[in-house]
Every structure is written in structure tokens, then in C-alpha cells.
Amino acid sequence: MKKFLLAFDRELIVAERKGSTWKISNHFKGANPITLACDPNNPARLYCGTFDRGLWRSLDGGSSWEAIGTLYSFGDSYPLHASKMSSVTAVAVSSLNGEDGNGIVYVGTEPSAMFISKDGGDHFELLTDYRQIPSYPSWFFPQRTDTHHVKHIEIDASNPQTIYTTIEVGGLIKSMDGGITWTEEKEKDYPQDIHVIKSHLNNPNRLYAVLGDSFLKEEGHEYAESKDGGKTWHYITEGLTHHYAYQMAVNTADSDNIIIATSSNPFAAHEYENGNCESFIYRKEKNQPWKISNAGLPDSKGTLIPVIKVTGEGDFYLFSNKGVFISVDGGLNWTSLEIPWQQRFITQHPYDMLVIE
């Protein structure tokens, strides 16, 4: 049995395979579920962050959901200022046990702030609103320039006390004590618009980042790596001909096998526009340039920029508005999972995915 949670911009789809049959259900219809997380110590305990409708928790693998961190229920109308966690933009769960034995939950929001729960989501406290960070006054989100948000949370694969958060747009903010204190990594030519940042268990201090910096600076700032935990960065872009990079996964079994999702520009990546959107998948191996990886995937034209995930066994999964696909050979070839795909999915933006064994 395998289960997929697929967060579109207007609903959350739960697709569960039993034998040769897929069971499909949807949740949060009309809402904006944009971030998902699973407790690494309990795969039935899930979290879903929505924009303007707060944070939700499932204790049964996604069959039912309850609002947490807020007094409101889905469908209620309430002002944005009613809850400090009304717009949840990133969620991550640590393998470290909290007070009740569940994983510690970190929640990032818009405006940029970080919350923590040490009891599985029953109670939350504010860790930081980042206002102590020197560059805070310069942060902005291109679509709403009067605000900004936590774009991604990465709990270090080899040290769960180290937490990386990226601000859209503001750079990398790092904690080495579980979120008690935060500092920014801001050396010369540092990445500012980090969409996804990853660490790797087999390569401590190595960070991988896909970026929108080519549209803030110049071409050649689509992908970067750090070998010292984010202090310094170098850009690796040979072979990339599409300069907006948005999603990424790194093979758990091979720290040099990387898959990224790109587009020619942000508009083409995120706006369906009667099928005029486009996205391109690239693959990289050690000491090799980036190469297009599209064998078995739908046409790039008409495909909104997809979500990419990898399992502990090293299988890559790709979720787009055209379906869900798997690669078992490091991204060389892709195969459709044949999940029943409804017409309304085609025009919806994919935001996040969970793969539950």
C-alpha cells in the first residue's frame, strides 16, 4: 500500500493505492494548502499549512483533519490578524522527540515568523519574528512587496539541532540550537531568493539550493551549493538554459545525484494561462553538467512547475498538474503512476507532496 498527499492551490488530494485500485479523496476545497509535513517517527501524524486558513493536523494519515494553532474551523470567515499563524508557508517536523514523544514541529509564516510546538501541535510558541536580523528591513516578496515569508525550513540531516530557514526574498537564516537563536549567512554574492534548500546525511555541511536569483541579479544564479553550512556559496549552472529554478530533490543514496525543476521565468512557471506555462526538469551527477531529464514525462509546454521528492530508498517522485511520476534510476527515466487524473487538476498549481509507504 502506498499513499500520496498532493497539495494543489485549491484542494488537497489524498491518493491511496490498494492492490491495483486507487482511492481518491479531497480536502480543503477552495482553500490554499501549500505545505505538508509528516512526523518522521509516526507516518500517520501529518501537518498541512494553508494560506489564510492556518495549520491543520491529521492523526490518521490524512483521512480527517483538525485545525490547530488557531481557534477557527475551515470555512469560517475571520480577519487575518485574528491568528498569528493564519498564513502558514512552511512546515517541518524534527526527528527529535518533544514532550509527548512526537516530533518537534516548526512552522513558518507570512509575515516572516517561526513557531514551535513540542507537544505534537497542541500548543505553539513564537521562536522569532526575525526582526533582530540586520537585513530584515530589505526583505520583500515580489508579488506582495509590502510583506515576505518563510519559504522553506530544512532540519539538518545530520544534526537536527541545526535548522535552516529561507526567506522570500531575504536569504538564509540559520539556527544551531534548535531555534533559540538565529543568525543570517550573508557573505559576498550570497543567494537571496532560495526556494528550496537541502542537506544530506552522507555529506555534512553541504547545502544545495535552487534559486530565483537570476531574476534579481543576472543569469548564472539558478543553483548554488555551500560546503560550509551556508557561510560561503558557489554557483553551479553549466548546462542550464532555463534560469528560474524552483524545486529540487537530492538522492538519499547518492549526494551527487540531484534533480531540479526550472522554467524560463516566474510567470511561465506559475501561471497556467490557457496552457502557455512551461517547466523543465534537469538532472546532475558528480562533476557533470546539468542535463535535461524528460524521458517519460509530459511535454514541457502546459506543465506548471512541479514538486520533486525523494524517498529513503532513492526513488524520485514528481508531481505536476499532469500527474505523478516515479524514477527508480536516479532521474534518467520517468513512469506515470496512473493515478486517476481529473480535468480540474490540469489548471491547478502543485505546491507540495508527501509520499507515505
Side-chain angles (χ1 to χ4, degrees), residues 2-284:
K2 184 165 289 189
K3 183 184 296 184
F4 296 86
L5 275 73
L6 310 172
F8 282 109
D9 57 2
R10 297 192 297 274
E11 60 188 313
L12 174 69
I13 300 299
V14 179
E16 186 173 6
R17 184 171 184 171
K18 296 182 178 179
S20 60
T21 303
W22 286 97
K23 177 185 177 183
I24 307 295
S25 61
N26 72 328
H27 308 264
F28 307 112
K29 187 176 181 180
N32 189 194
I34 58 177
T35 181
L36 298 166
C38 176
D39 190 325
N41 301 323
N42 182 359
R45 180 178 284 264
L46 311 175
Y47 301 88
C48 178
T50 68
F51 199 84
D52 295 352
R53 288 296 181 268
L55 181 66
W56 296 72
R57 176 178 63 192
S58 175
L59 302 178
D60 55 14
S63 297
S64 62
W65 296 85
E66 59 180 338
I68 58 175
T70 174
L71 299 177
Y72 300 90
S73 297
F74 177 67
D76 287 351
S77 176
Y78 62 93
L80 293 182
H81 61 75
S83 170
K84 292 181 180 179
M85 286 174 53
S86 60
S87 293
V88 175
T89 53
V91 181
V93 186
S94 172
S95 59
L96 294 177
N97 288 336
E99 298 166 355
D100 61 351
N102 293 304
I104 297 174
V105 185
Y106 294 91
V107 177
T109 63
E110 180 179 307
S112 297
M114 178 67 67
F115 295 83
I116 188 173
S117 174
K118 297 180 181 179
D119 57 9
D122 289 339
H123 303 89
F124 284 88
E125 61 180 290
L126 177 67
L127 280 177
T128 181
D129 63 5
Y130 297 102
R131 293 179 186 271
Q132 79 279 13
I133 302 298
S135 65
Y136 181 92
S138 67
W139 297 356
F140 70 100
F141 178 51
Q143 291 177 275
R144 297 182 297 279
T145 54
D146 61 335
T147 189
H148 43 77
H149 56 252
V150 177
K151 178 61 176 173
H152 189 80
I153 304 169
E154 172 72 359
I155 299 171
D156 190 271
S158 57
N159 180 7
Q161 288 290 343
T162 298
I163 303 165
Y164 303 96
T165 63
T166 70
I167 305 298
E168 191 168 35
V169 171
L172 174 63
I173 315 299
K174 176 180 178 180
S175 174
M176 299 183 69
D177 53 17
I180 298 172
T181 59
W182 298 86
T183 56
E184 66 178 328
E185 302 292 352
K186 195 176 180 181
E187 296 294 330
K188 183 180 179 182
D189 202 24
Y190 70 100
Q192 292 176 272
D193 190 13
I194 303 174
H195 293 136
V196 176
I197 189 167
K198 291 292 183 182
S199 58
H200 201 283
L201 182 62
N202 298 336
N203 208 325
N205 293 318
R206 182 178 180 181
L207 296 177
Y208 314 73
V210 285
L211 316 171
D213 284 56
S214 286
F215 291 84
L216 297 174
K217 304 172 183 177
E218 59 186 0
E219 291 181 2
H221 291 80
E222 301 88 39
Y223 175 87
E225 289 189 12
S226 173
K227 296 181 180 179
D228 52 17
K231 293 182 175 63
T232 59
W233 293 86
H234 59 289
Y235 295 87
I236 305 172
T237 60
E238 183 185 0
L240 293 178
T241 58
H242 304 92
H243 304 294
Y244 179 78
Y246 192 72
Q247 282 280 355
M248 171 182 58
V250 184
N251 195 329
T252 49
D254 180 357
S255 60
D256 292 310
N257 178 205
I258 308 154
I259 308 293
I260 65 173
T262 71
S263 188
S264 52
N265 60 69
F267 186 82
H270 300 297
E271 300 295 333
Y272 184 72
E273 280 296 297
N274 297 316
N276 288 319
C277 55
E278 61 178 9
S279 61
F280 304 86
I281 305 303
Y282 285 85
R283 176 180 185 271
K284 192 179 188 310

Side-chain angles (χ1 to χ4, degrees), residues 271-330:
E271 300 295 333
Y272 184 72
E273 280 296 297
N274 297 316
N276 288 319
C277 55
E278 61 178 9
S279 61
F280 304 86
I281 305 303
Y282 285 85
R283 176 180 185 271
K284 192 179 188 310
E285 293 183 324
K286 187 174 184 179
N287 300 324
Q288 297 295 315
W290 293 98
K291 296 179 180 178
I292 287 284
S293 172
N294 59 6
L297 293 176
D299 288 344
S300 296
K301 193 72 171 181
T303 302
L304 290 160
I305 203 156
V307 177
I308 307 172
K309 299 290 184 178
V310 66
T311 65
E313 293 75 31
D315 295 336
F316 286 101
Y317 287 89
L318 183 150
F319 158 46
S320 76
N321 60 321
K322 301 290 187 66
V324 179
F325 303 82
I326 182 175
S327 174
V328 297
D329 58 8

